[in-house]
Amino acid sequence: MSEPDSALLQATAVAMDGRALLIEGAPGLGKSSLALALIDRGAQLIGDDGVRRIRRGDQIIACPPPNIKGLPEVRGVGLF
């Protein structure tokens, strides 16, 4: 069995109904703000400004890097 394909992305991701939404974009475009609005509507944070993407066969899994799990990033402040 081969190792899964994995990459660390500078992106924000939330989970809704068993699916992940990956939000990519340049710094300052509102990725975290969009994620917070989705969280306010029931989504769960996967990772903010850092998401590990793992490909296993025909599935793509999004998970946070261990050092930022569950911590949103606030511009000019850092991890919150």
Side-chain angles (χ1 to χ4, degrees):
M1 185 163 163
S2 64
E3 288 292 315
D5 174 22
S6 175
L8 183 60
L9 306 174
Q10 188 170 355
T12 297
V14 296
M16 299 177 296
D17 299 323
R19 294 179 180 254
L21 174 66
L22 185 67
I23 307 164
E24 295 183 292
L29 287 182
K31 297 180 296 294
S32 297
S33 296
L34 176 56
L36 286 172
L38 292 168
I39 290 166
D40 189 47
R41 289 160 178 80
Q44 294 180 319
L45 180 66
I46 294 174
D48 187 30
D49 209 32
V51 178
R52 181 158 304 281
R53 189 256 317 141
I54 302 169
R55 182 184 308 263
R56 289 193 181 118
D58 62 350
Q59 289 188 325
I60 298 175
I61 300 164
C63 58
N67 59 329
I68 64 168
K69 183 177 182 177
L71 300 173
E73 184 174 355
V74 178
R75 180 169 296 284
V77 176
L79 294 173
F80 182 68

